[in-house]
Amino acid sequence: MKKMRGDASLPQGQVTFLVGKEEQRVEHVSKNVLCVRSVFFRTMFGIGMKERDAAEITVPKTDLASFTAFIDYLCTDQLDLGEGEGEQARRALLLRELAQMYQVPRLELLCAQALQESVGPASAVPLLEAAHTTGDGRLLAQCRRYVADHAAEVRASGGVEQLRDLGVAKGLLGDALDQVAELKGTVAARDTELEKVRAEVA
């Protein structure tokens, strides 16, 4: 709020966003607040830009709930991911994309943290695919480990049926084969030790 005082370059007035294909409205948002919270908006509403005096801005590539949560975060510093494991993970993914697009690094970090905390039976596979698509190595590794360690729960939740990406499927199959090989190695080593014990007793 302090940044909104004494800066003559900040734009005046409010803007309404037309969101998604249906152009649903997020109305009467202060341009001042947007500019001090986002480098992207500071540039968009900067001196000499046509958007500076615009009453409406179109935002085509997101949904109303996610963009509303994004604007609410800029205005209040409160992160709302909705309710339910699957919905929170989906919202965090979409909000992270918006945070990257509009250059809000703190929100991006909060979403990354929320994603890591939301990995569960129902969300592990969708998050794994999303991490693969976005190149998020840390989340990818976490999801792969979770699927490997909780395979029965993931399968029971319907997570396997949600799998769409062939590359991810190959990766999970590779993990499963590695686990089988590791298990065989453990069993073989245990059998060897058992034979040694038997030989010593005899």
Side-chain angles (χ1 to χ4, degrees), residues 20-200:
K21 293 180 181 179
E22 298 179 359
E23 296 193 342
Q24 295 173 288
R25 301 171 72 85
V26 177
E27 297 186 312
H28 311 312
V29 184
S30 167
K31 291 181 180 179
N32 268 345
V33 171
L34 295 174
C35 287
V36 299
R37 294 283 278 157
S38 162
V39 174
F40 183 96
F41 283 125
R42 181 65 187 244
T43 302
M44 173 183 281
F45 297 123
I47 295 174
M49 301 297 287
K50 65 179 182 179
E51 291 87 355
R52 184 176 179 85
D53 299 317
E56 294 181 343
I57 299 290
T58 300
V59 185
K61 296 182 179 180
T62 189
D63 63 86
L64 182 64
S66 298
F67 193 76
T68 299
F70 172 68
I71 294 297
D72 286 346
Y73 172 79
L74 294 182
C75 292
T76 66
D77 210 42
Q78 299 293 316
L79 179 58
D80 179 13
L81 294 177
E83 298 180 0
E85 177 186 307
E87 171 59 21
Q88 288 185 341
R90 189 190 74 85
R91 179 75 59 80
L93 279 169
L94 293 172
L95 277 175
R96 186 174 66 172
E97 290 179 8
L98 289 171
Q100 292 170 342
M101 181 186 303
Y102 292 102
Q103 300 176 48
V104 187
R106 183 168 178 270
L107 176 58
E108 187 178 347
L109 290 173
L110 289 173
C111 289
Q113 180 181 357
L115 286 170
Q116 291 166 17
E117 293 172 354
S118 68
V119 176
S123 64
V125 171
L127 286 177
L128 179 59
E129 291 190 305
H132 177 70
T133 300
T134 60
D136 186 337
R138 185 172 181 178
L139 181 61
L140 182 68
Q142 181 182 354
C143 291
R144 287 177 66 176
R145 186 74 261 170
Y146 186 91
V147 171
D149 292 344
H150 304 84
E153 295 96 318
V154 172
R155 186 173 183 181
S157 74
V160 176
E161 285 72 18
Q162 299 176 58
L163 191 57
R164 299 183 183 89
D165 190 304
L166 182 59
V168 172
K170 288 180 177 179
L172 290 177
L173 178 59
D175 290 343
L177 293 174
D178 288 343
Q179 280 198 312
V180 170
E182 183 180 343
L183 182 59
K184 285 184 176 179
T186 301
V187 171
R190 197 169 291 174
D191 288 344
T192 301
E193 289 296 322
L194 185 57
E195 287 299 326
K196 288 182 179 179
V197 170
R198 285 175 178 169
E200 291 173 0

